Amino acid sequence: MFCFCKASAQYYPASMQQQWMQKAEECKPMIKKSVHHPVQEVFIVEDSNAFQGYKAVKNGNLDDLYSKSFKEKKSIVVDFGEHLVGRVTFKIKDIGPMQDAILRFKVMFGEVPSDLVLPIEPFTGSLSRGWLQDFICDVGYDGTFTFGRRITARYMKIEVIGSSIYSDFCFDHITFEATTSAGESKAQLASTTPAIFKDIARISENTLKNCMQGVFEDGPKRDQRLWMGDLYLQSLANTASFQEYNLTKRCLYLLAGLANAQNGLLNSNLVEYPEPHAQNTFFVDYALSYVFTLSDYLNATGDKETANDLWVVAKRQIEAILSEAVDKNYLYSNTSYQFGGMLASIVFFDWAPVPLDTHAAIQGCLPYAMDRCYDIARKLGKTEEVKTYPSTAKRLRSAGRKAYWDSHNKLVVSGKDKQLSYTCTSWAIIGGLIDAQESRQAIRNIMTAKHVITPGTPYANHFFVEAMLQCGMDAEARKYVEDYWGGMVRLGADTFWEYYVPDNHMFSSYNGYTLLNSYCHAWSCTPIYFIVNYPKIFQE
Ligand code: RAM
């Protein structure tokens, strides 16, 4: 129904994209390293109250690891005491009579206790089996082993599965050299901040810190790459904490440098190594979040040079979406069409437990992005280029209100089945499809309505809190953050998770295969942004 018309043979000249890549390269961060060792031995035990039914309990004496026969002990789980990302090495020590063979170990790493006990086989996950951190390690006569890939974990399970009858050994050391590109956090919370919000803030920062490597990664265990939606939330949290603005700048330039040169559209994600390369997919809402990130970056840094460079990319996303997907009635009218030249395109917003209808959400997101884009234009003296935006945004809003606001039941409804969801409610509010009073009614009603699609990810929950704050529901926003992210804290999170569905800990959008979930995930790091920016709500 929609035809993608190329703006020109080459939307961005090659020299321009090369320059952007060069600027990204110049912003490459210094990686900071710190050395860690196990702090205790643990047992993983069943506990129906624990996250996914398992918890780690203290066990044994760690010193034995370095002095007593491991051949006899056979297996151990060690705890590094915190979630880490980096290089792991270990060395064994010959304790006689004579080492005469290669030793073989089975090693597994876990971000959470259940990672070490849930069955891997049969593997039914929808992503690569390679993401799982289980290894066979052969150790030769020099006794050392270095894992060939970066590890993300708090726990390490080691089993000896091959040893010689003539030799015995213990461990000389197990070393985790952790990496991050984050420095010290600049966030300072008032002394009146309740303990739970201090904990939530600390864990948010840990989450962000461990995702901050050569780019803002989504999850250091999986997918180890830059995703545009995650980037926006990371940039908000970074502005509130580490303020490593060059990393945000690097990511913005990388995305621009790897955008589709023919049609100007941004790819939803990119991988940094061995050379930065993008996955040729278009996520409509993620493309709009590029505008939000650029706007946040400009507001935080005042760096007009970068904003001027990238302005053309931000504007292009909005214009392509307006021209390709908005009908004559100003409704975003198709949420599953293909953009030309891209492998796949979707309107994302959440991996919800039930398929989410996103019409109302994108209808709110688009005018909101136009406002943010207009704001950038104002700061750069470019409003002439986007002079139609305010009136178009107004039309989108009134069309959205007409289509998706059920004024009788005071609920946001989406799609032909009038689906009810937290996410469409959030974006109808953020996007200004309904006014503040209606927004408060919509939020109260969605939280008590039946047959509602609740969020699957902290990503979608972030925008629900944002919507509450926007319409003055301060107490409710505070309680929501305390219940939701606080729920993970109470379940022992060191870093916040990719998925947290309070009544279904096993939720995973990877064909229900929970072991693929990431437990330090970019899009869950935003409470630090809320806590720092709304001190009256979260720090008293
Ligand atoms: C998953 C990751 C990532 C997210 C995409 C859409 O693969 O969790 O963070 O941005 O989905």
Side-chain angles (χ1 to χ4, degrees), residues 218 222-223 227 229-230 283 286 348 351 498-499 510 521 523:
D218 64 332
R222 208 227 73 241
D223 313 322
W227 277 93
D230 302 68
F283 282 28
Y286 273 23
F348 170 63
W351 295 127
E498 179 181 21
Y499 299 109
Y510 309 115
H521 213 75
W523 63 22

Side-chain angles (χ1 to χ4, degrees), residues 503-517:
D503 58 11
N504 179 10
H505 293 180
M506 303 308 282
F507 175 68
S508 169
S509 70
Y510 309 115
N511 197 26
Y513 189 85
T514 316
L515 283 171
L516 280 171
N517 293 3

Side-chain angles (χ1 to χ4, degrees), residues 3-165:
C3 96
F4 186 88
C5 312
K6 284 183 195 167
S8 67
Q10 193 81 356
Y11 197 85
Y12 306 119
S15 61
M16 198 181 217
Q17 285 195 293
Q18 275 155 18
Q19 233 179 53
W20 292 339
M21 292 306 277
Q22 182 55 35
K23 290 195 177 181
E25 182 64 24
E26 285 158 18
C27 292
K28 218 169 182 173
M30 271 267 300
I31 299 292
K32 299 162 186 80
K33 295 181 176 167
S34 58
V35 171
H36 304 257
H37 300 286
V39 295
Q40 65 190 36
E41 181 184 350
V42 292
F43 263 147
I44 308 295
V45 296
E46 270 186 55
D47 177 348
S48 56
N49 293 318
F51 179 60
Q52 296 183 346
Y54 294 96
K55 68 176 181 196
V57 291
K58 224 175 156 166
N59 169 51
N61 177 1
L62 192 66
D63 289 342
D64 292 352
L65 181 69
Y66 305 112
S67 55
K68 297 201 172 144
S69 163
F70 193 76
K71 202 171 77 173
E72 262 170 44
K73 189 170 173 78
K74 290 191 171 58
S75 128
I76 193 173
V77 178
V78 294
D79 177 2
F80 287 92
E82 61 186 300
H83 184 279
L84 299 167
V85 181
R87 292 275 157 197
V88 178
T89 55
F90 66 82
K91 183 167 175 19
I92 56 126
K93 197 159 68 188
D94 182 3
I95 52 173
M98 175 208 162
Q99 205 197 335
D100 70 329
I102 302 261
L103 300 172
R104 177 163 288 187
F105 298 88
K106 192 172 158 196
V107 176
M108 245 163 112
F109 291 93
E111 297 186 281
V112 291
S114 51
D115 275 347
L116 298 181
V117 284
L118 292 175
I120 293 180
E121 305 300 345
F123 180 80
T124 53
S126 55
L127 304 178
S128 169
R129 164 72 172 81
W131 289 120
L132 304 186
Q133 303 181 105
D134 58 320
F135 307 92
I136 297 293
C137 313
D138 289 343
V139 179
Y141 288 132
D142 72 346
T144 57
F145 189 86
T146 301
F147 289 86
R149 69 189 235 206
R150 204 184 64 189
I151 301 296
T152 298
R154 172 169 172 173
Y155 303 100
M156 177 182 187
K157 182 177 179 188
I158 312 168
E159 282 171 79
V160 59
I161 54 171
S163 60
S164 147
I165 51 166

Side-chain angles (χ1 to χ4, degrees), residues 372-392:
R372 300 279 308 252
C373 192
Y374 196 82
D375 188 52
I376 301 175
R378 201 179 294 131
K379 290 179 175 131
L380 300 180
K382 291 180 183 293
T383 47
E384 194 49 32
E385 289 182 39
V386 287
K387 59 175 188 286
T388 55
Y389 280 21
S391 60
T392 305

